[in-house]
């Protein structure tokens, strides 16, 4: 089976090649992303394998069908970049890796929160220059603080477990409540109550038409003054320009992002010698109370191993006609 892998980085090649070694899968790795301009690269393949910022919109899917490709395999959990309805209409099966080490993203969420709060990134640079002044480095205890978790699926639950260990008061919002979340120390409240009462808010719900810009000016107005916002889920959950306004007015006391709504132009590339054209992202970088990482929540050895193994299983399962229903992406029944 010939599979074209898009947005392939050296670590993707390493992990996918290693776990496909004894299979009939033949990977061709393309560093470029999949989109209208790179579609020609897909000709002659049985399947494409894509990542978070590959473009799987209607025109791309239609051409894939014309090339005889009936399987889009995602090596990620989120699928907001795929037009699922259109894929179904075209008879293209979409598979993903719904669960891979949720702890990888949960632990990165904590890394961002602790960095933002205790300013370890600034302290590291100061100490390197023999500057041992503590002025400006004061943080606060997480112990006893109220943390609001929006989305209590696999990653949200892993974050709740860690925060319960810190002695936080964890309040949660999710349209589907989970008993294990309650047993792990989470208390479900309404979204309005969470926004009103949390000292720190962390986003762990998927990006859907309903959650697009969930955190906008109206939501921010309901929050406590000085609230801290963490987003390791998907950039589109946050209306970035409105969050910048809230940082300028100090309504928002801190912001940590691993994801950004226009990230497809920036992330996963070395642009250190380029002129960045995205003024909104550049404005975010100027705030002393903003910490940004480039979508690296998933980036642990354990997660990459699980992603590679599940991706290969999905490809082989599709070929043998026995797809794991949990790994197949389908539109919700009407
Ligand atoms: P999951 O499907 O296990 O959980 C998502 C939860 O969100 C579900 O419980 C669902 O009921 C809830 N939800 C849906 N709509 C909601 C709404 N309007 N308000 C509140 N909750 C809502 O998914 P997961 O594995 O926990 O992943 C969560 C998100 O993390 C993914 O959608 C993905 O976008 C993101 N993610 C990021 C990285 C990274 O590297 N930063 C890696 C993997 C996943």
């Amino acid at each position: 089976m010939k599979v074209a892998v898009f947005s392939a980085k050296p670590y993707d090649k390493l992990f996918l090649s290693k776990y496909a070694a004894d299979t009939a899968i033949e990977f061709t790795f393309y560093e470029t992303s999949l989109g209208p301009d790179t579609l020609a690269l897909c000709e002659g393949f049985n399947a494409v394998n894509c990542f978070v910022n590959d473009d799987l919109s209607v025109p791309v899917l239609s051409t894939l069908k014309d090339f005889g490709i009936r399987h889009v395999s995602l090596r990620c959990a989120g699928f907001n970049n795929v037009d699922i309805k259109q894929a179904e209409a075209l008879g293209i099966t979409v598979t993903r890796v719904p669960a891979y080490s949720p702890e990888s993203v949960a632990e990165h969420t904590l890394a961002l929160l602790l960095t933002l709060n205790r300013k370890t990134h600034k302290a590291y640079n100061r100490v390197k220059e023999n500057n041992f002044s503590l002025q400006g480095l004061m943080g606060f205890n997480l112990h006893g603080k109220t943390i609001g978790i929006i989305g209590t699926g696999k990653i949200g639950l892993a974050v709740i477990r860690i925060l319960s260990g810190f002695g936080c008061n964890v309040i949660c919002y999710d349209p589907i409540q989970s008993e294990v979340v309650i047993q792990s120390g989470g208390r479900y409240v309404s979204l309005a109550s969470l926004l009103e009462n949390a000292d720190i808010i962390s986003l762990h719900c998927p990006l859907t038409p309903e959650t697009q810009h969930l955190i906008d000016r109206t939501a921010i107005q309901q929050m406590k003054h000085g609230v801290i916002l963490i987003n390791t889920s998907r950039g589109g959950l946050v209306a970035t320009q409105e969050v910048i306004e809230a940082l300028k007015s100090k309504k928002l006391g801190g912001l940590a992002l691993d994801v950004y709504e226009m990230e497809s132009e920036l992330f996963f590339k070395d642009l250190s010698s380029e002129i960045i054209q995205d003024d909104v992202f550049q404005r975010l970088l100027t705030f002393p109370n903003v910490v940004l990482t480039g979508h690296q929540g998933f980036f642990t050895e354990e997660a990459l191993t699980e992603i590679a193994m599940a991706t290969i299983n999905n490809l082989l399962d599709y070929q043998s006609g026995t797809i794991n229903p949990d790994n197949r992406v389908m539109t919700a029944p009407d």
Side-chain angles (χ1 to χ4, degrees):
M1 179 191 345
K2 292 174 79 177
V3 182
V5 183
F6 285 88
S7 306
K9 300 293 178 198
Y11 45 85
D12 294 310
K13 294 181 196 173
L14 188 76
F15 281 82
L16 286 171
S17 303
K18 179 176 169 186
Y19 292 101
D22 296 326
T23 71
I25 301 172
E26 197 186 308
F27 285 123
T28 297
F29 295 99
Y30 294 117
E31 202 164 321
T32 182
S33 55
L34 177 58
D37 299 340
T38 52
L39 263 169
L41 296 170
C42 300
E43 210 164 355
F45 287 92
N46 304 105
V48 291
N49 178 257
C50 299
F51 197 49
V52 292
N53 292 325
D54 289 310
D55 173 355
L56 291 146
S57 55
V58 176
V60 174
L61 291 168
S62 303
T63 308
L64 290 181
K65 188 192 174 188
D66 293 343
F67 287 161
I69 293 173
R70 296 288 182 276
H71 184 195
V72 169
S73 136
L74 302 174
R75 56 180 189 284
C76 53
F79 49 87
N80 50 285
N81 52 331
V82 189
D83 190 318
I84 300 301
K85 212 171 170 183
Q86 184 65 14
E88 281 176 1
L90 293 167
I92 295 175
T93 300
V94 181
T95 58
R96 66 178 180 133
V97 183
Y100 55 88
S101 185
E103 288 74 21
S104 64
V105 184
E107 290 173 16
H108 190 69
T109 304
L110 264 291
L112 286 175
L113 174 55
L114 290 169
T115 303
L116 188 60
N117 175 22
R118 303 304 295 266
K119 304 168 181 66
T120 43
H121 56 314
K122 294 183 185 179
Y124 174 84
N125 286 327
R126 278 192 197 184
V127 170
K128 280 261 189 196
E129 293 183 2
N130 294 330
N131 174 358
F132 306 106
S133 162
L134 300 182
Q135 192 60 38
L137 298 184
M138 192 165 66
F140 57 82
N141 287 4
L142 286 182
H143 184 94
K145 291 294 177 297
T146 297
I147 315 231
I149 303 293
I150 300 184
T152 60
K154 293 172 285 296
I155 295 170
L157 172 63
V159 172
I160 290 166
R161 287 184 167 137
I162 298 170
L163 291 174
S164 297
F166 272 77
C168 297
N169 169 32
V170 184
I171 56 175
C172 321
Y173 170 72
D174 193 309
I176 301 167
Q177 301 197 356
S178 142
E179 194 52 41
V180 66
V181 163
I182 297 166
Q183 286 162 5
S184 303
R187 183 167 56 86
Y188 282 103
V189 296
S190 66
L191 181 59
S193 170
L194 184 148
L195 295 175
E196 201 180 313
N197 291 300
D199 300 301
I200 297 158
I201 295 174
S202 191
L203 307 180
H204 302 287
C205 58
L207 177 62
T208 63
E210 293 75 46
T211 61
Q212 171 88 25
H213 288 183
L214 181 74
I215 304 300
D216 61 3
R217 190 176 293 118
T218 311
I220 293 167
Q221 271 162 4
Q222 297 172 61
M223 296 177 192
K224 277 188 177 178
H225 186 82
V227 62
I228 284 183
L229 178 68
I230 317 281
N231 186 10
T232 57
S233 190
R234 281 293 180 266
L237 296 176
V238 171
T240 315
Q241 196 61 59
E242 293 171 27
V243 158
I244 287 175
E245 282 167 26
L247 284 162
K248 286 167 76 177
S249 71
K250 301 191 181 165
K251 171 80 178 181
L252 209 58
L255 173 72
L257 301 179
D258 185 45
V259 287
Y260 167 60
E261 50 182 339
M262 304 309 286
E263 70 176 48
S264 61
E265 299 298 316
L266 302 170
F267 287 4
F268 308 115
K269 301 170 197 149
D270 179 359
L271 301 178
S272 51
S273 305
E274 309 284 323
I275 308 295
I276 302 292
Q277 299 298 328
D278 184 332
D279 293 346
V280 174
F281 190 77
Q282 291 303 101
R283 181 67 179 103
L284 279 178
L285 288 174
T286 66
F287 290 98
N289 53 347
V290 172
V291 172
L292 305 173
T293 52
H295 206 140
Q296 71 175 82
F298 72 99
F299 202 54
T300 67
E301 191 169 336
E302 291 81 355
L304 288 183
T305 301
E306 289 171 28
I307 290 169
M309 291 172 73
T311 297
I312 287 159
N313 283 339
N314 285 342
L315 289 163
L316 295 173
D317 286 352
Y318 175 80
Q319 202 178 36
S320 64
T322 55
I323 302 171
N324 176 349
D326 293 340
N327 295 7
R328 185 172 186 166
V329 187
M330 296 177 81
T331 50
D334 292 329

